Amino acid sequence: EVDEIFMISYMVTENGKSQGYLIVSRSIVSQDISNFEYTPKPNYPGPFHIFNEANEQALLDRFFQEYRRHCPQIVVTYNGDFF
């Protein structure tokens, strides 16, 4: 049995500004999610841009497209060892 990936979030810092992203699979999440801000502390600003994708394949395609665009130097996962 394999679980479907339905959400990936990541944050990048470019030119000293933080930007969060959330990629969502609409095959699991019932409605579009709008852009939002999550700032737990003033020194950790968190504007989030949302990508609402049709399904798991589209979610993964978007993630790899964004990964290539940002070329991260460090990648950290939560429960990533099992995917």
Side-chain angles (χ1 to χ4, degrees), residues 29-48:
V29 179
S30 64
Q31 62 185 11
D32 280 346
I33 298 174
S34 300
N35 294 342
F36 63 88
E37 171 122 4
Y38 175 70
T39 301
K41 294 184 179 181
N43 55 334
Y44 296 113
F48 273 80

Side-chain angles (χ1 to χ4, degrees), residues 46-66:
F48 273 80
H49 178 79
I50 312 304
F51 296 104
N52 292 287
E53 301 296 340
N55 53 41
E56 182 185 33
Q57 183 62 55
L59 176 146
L60 291 171
D61 290 343
R62 172 69 70 175
F63 174 71
F64 287 118
Q65 175 185 354
E66 289 292 300

Side-chain angles (χ1 to χ4, degrees), residues 1 5 15 23 25 27 32 49 59 66-67 73 81-82:
E1 185 175 311
I5 299 170
N15 303 320
I23 310 171
S25 171
S27 66
D32 280 346
H49 178 79
L59 176 146
E66 289 292 300
Y67 191 91
Q73 298 293 313
D81 293 346
F82 298 103

